[in-house]
Amino acid sequence: MKVILRIIAALLIIAGCIWTLQGLSLIGGSFMVGQTRWLVIGLCTMIMGALLLVFLRRQ
């Protein structure tokens, strides 16, 4: 179960990075480019993934 949760946490961090970079207009090719909303969503997603990893390490 921990392995699956770690994979999910890693995917959350990766997706959050992509969404953040698109929100900052550093990655193009999507409707998300230059949208502040996706910057915030990406940052929140990365934080959730990081918190999940920290939670799993403490157990």
Side-chain angles (χ1 to χ4, degrees):
M1 186 66 175
K2 279 188 176 183
V3 173
I4 294 171
L5 289 175
R6 285 185 180 154
I7 292 170
I8 291 171
L11 291 174
L12 284 171
I13 292 171
I14 291 169
C17 285
I18 292 170
W19 293 341
T20 300
L21 292 174
Q22 286 180 332
L24 290 171
S25 298
L26 297 175
I27 297 178
S30 170
F31 66 92
M32 297 183 246
V33 174
Q35 301 274 333
T36 306
R37 176 185 316 151
W38 287 103
L39 171 65
V40 173
I41 291 171
L43 290 174
C44 290
T45 305
M46 283 192 310
I47 290 170
M48 293 303 290
L51 288 175
L52 181 58
L53 280 179
V54 168
F55 175 74
L56 291 172
R57 288 195 76 134
R58 291 186 180 248
Q59 286 186 336

